[in-house]
Amino acid sequence: MDAVLIFALVAAIVVVFVVAASVRIVPQARRYNIERFGRYRRTLQPGLNLVLPVADRVNTKLDVREQVYSSDPKPVITEDNLVVNIDTVLYYQITDPRAAAYEVADYLQAIDQLTVTTLRNVIGSMDLEETLTSREEINARLRSVLDDATGKWGIRVNRVEIKAIDPPNTIKEAMEKQMRAERDKRAAILHAEGDRQAKILTAEGTKQKDILEAQGTQQAMILRADGEAKAVERVFQAVHRNNADPKVLAYKYLETLPHLAQSDNNTFWVIPGELTEAVRTVTSAFGDRSAEGAPSGAATGPEEDDGRVPELEKGTPAPPPPLDAATAADEAVKQAAAAVDDAKAEAQAVQSPRIPGRGGSSAAGE
């Protein structure tokens, strides 16, 4: 009875061991390579799989997801004999687990060494400046070479990126100086361009200001000239409307003449040539009227020395002006004003007989 129980217990243990050894559960995105007596048999897919216990065994477990591999910086010589350290990043994916396990011993090391040799071939045909500015071209050439070489290993290279390119320290310093000089150059150019634009805008503003001021001055002069023209026209029309004779005009001429020397800014002015003729006209006009209404003794009597300028007789030439222009102008103004006052006094004497005349005329009137 005990022997049967022991046999049953041993049989159960063997069955459990056989069942456990024949069942393999593969996770998602994993692949297991199975060998039977040391020879590749098959690749287990994700899920529940049955194998022969003791005869079959799992050789390699592979992850078929996309992997990222970052290599250490590798020294590479450029065409202009400069050593640069290049760090790359590789994105790959296992497409054939059997080939990845049996076609190459270590696919990561193989990919790393292939990347280094490809980089040296590509960078060796470029100078430093082209290397720094041609990353896209280098990435494309690396991907093409690696994809062709790793296809038989059951690996697909999806992308290759250059993470860093480190030139020597001396080259870095020279590049920094060059970049600093370029920045200073651009700053100087921008500053000069700003000054030029500012000067242009200032000149245009000054030009517009001068133009507007000139236009305003022109309009003001035009309006002032129009106003003076209208004023002269109205005066001219009023004179012609009232039918003024030359005597009135000569009188107005002499009446306006003293105002020429009233301004403080007039340091030099010219005596008009018509002054003598105007004085003669006014004097003759008022002299004729005084001869008609005054006694005969008034014409022959002696003049009192009252400071008035004697009347200018027709045909008597005017005395020559002195050499000093300002003195001549003042003397002419005084003579004109005295002549006007004399003419006004004689006119009032004619119109008012009660006012006594000068010298013998007063006696004759009585």
Side-chain angles (χ1 to χ4, degrees), residues 343-354:
K344 287 182 178 180
E346 292 181 356
Q348 292 177 359
V350 173
Q351 295 176 1
S352 302
R354 295 180 180 179

Side-chain angles (χ1 to χ4, degrees), residues 170-226:
T170 57
I171 301 301
K172 289 182 179 179
E173 294 176 359
M175 293 173 61
E176 290 177 358
K177 292 180 180 179
Q178 182 180 2
M179 293 173 61
R180 192 179 301 112
E182 289 292 334
R183 291 192 185 98
D184 294 340
K185 177 183 176 182
R186 288 196 296 267
I189 292 174
L190 292 176
H191 184 69
E193 186 69 21
D195 290 341
R196 187 175 73 89
Q197 293 292 336
K199 291 180 180 179
I200 290 174
L201 294 177
T202 302
E204 290 180 354
T206 305
K207 176 183 176 183
Q208 294 294 332
K209 175 185 175 183
D210 294 340
I211 291 174
L212 293 177
E213 289 180 353
Q215 290 178 353
T217 304
Q218 179 187 9
Q219 294 294 330
M221 294 177 66
I222 291 174
L223 293 175
R224 192 180 298 111
D226 291 341

Side-chain angles (χ1 to χ4, degrees), residues 320-328:
L323 296 178
D324 191 357
T327 305

Side-chain angles (χ1 to χ4, degrees), residues 211-254:
I211 291 174
L212 293 177
E213 289 180 353
Q215 290 178 353
T217 304
Q218 179 187 9
Q219 294 294 330
M221 294 177 66
I222 291 174
L223 293 175
R224 192 180 298 111
D226 291 341
E228 293 177 357
K230 290 181 180 179
V232 171
E233 183 180 359
R234 289 186 179 182
V235 171
F236 184 76
Q237 292 177 357
V239 170
H240 281 273
R241 190 182 304 115
N242 296 324
N243 195 15
D245 56 358
K247 300 175 183 179
V248 176
L249 297 178
Y251 171 74
K252 296 298 293 182
Y253 178 82
L254 293 176

